[in-house]
């Protein structure tokens, strides 16, 4: 059962479709390192910390956006894209 405030949001507005970017692949394939750039729903973000495991077996990431450096947020590694070749 959805909370009352979620019942008013149409599913079309909360559905997120998979995004394919050349040179990037799912974070579930490789856990990013601290300081590495990832692509998330908000755009490119920097990994601040790699934390514990999530329910899908991935890792919880603390991320920071360049335009909001004092407002870090969290995402599962399976919900971000990482660069294929990191050097």
């Amino acid at each position: 059962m959805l909370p009352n405030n979620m019942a008013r949001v149409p599913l079309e507005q909360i559905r997120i479709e998979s995004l394919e970017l050349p040179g990037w692949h799912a974070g579930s394939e490789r856990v990013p390192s601290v300081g590495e750039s990832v692509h998330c729903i908000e755009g490119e973000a920097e990994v601040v910390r790699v934390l514990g495991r999530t329910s899908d077996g991935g890792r919880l990431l603390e991320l920071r956006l360049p335009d909001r450096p004092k407002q870090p947020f969290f995402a599962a590694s399976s919900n971000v894209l990482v660069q294929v070749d990191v050097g």
Side-chain angles (χ1 to χ4, degrees):
M1 188 157 130
L2 293 173
N4 287 339
N5 59 347
M6 288 296 293
R8 297 182 201 145
V9 178
L11 287 178
E12 299 80 40
Q13 291 182 356
I14 60 173
R15 185 176 309 141
I16 299 172
E17 294 185 18
S18 179
L19 175 67
E20 291 186 27
L21 293 175
W24 296 78
H25 60 86
S28 57
E29 295 179 29
R30 178 180 65 78
V31 177
S33 303
V34 172
E36 187 173 342
S37 289
V38 297
H39 192 82
C40 64
I41 193 70
E42 295 281 338
E44 266 193 69
E46 177 187 354
V47 177
V48 177
R49 291 191 300 168
V50 178
L51 303 164
R53 298 247 178 232
T54 59
S55 61
D56 67 2
R59 300 299 292 263
L60 183 64
L61 306 174
E62 183 176 345
L63 303 175
R64 183 177 343 184
L65 296 167
D67 60 339
R68 295 187 299 219
K70 296 185 182 204
Q71 296 176 329
F73 64 99
F74 297 89
S77 60
S78 59
N79 290 335
V80 302
L81 299 176
V82 295
Q83 291 180 315
V84 173
D85 296 320
V86 176

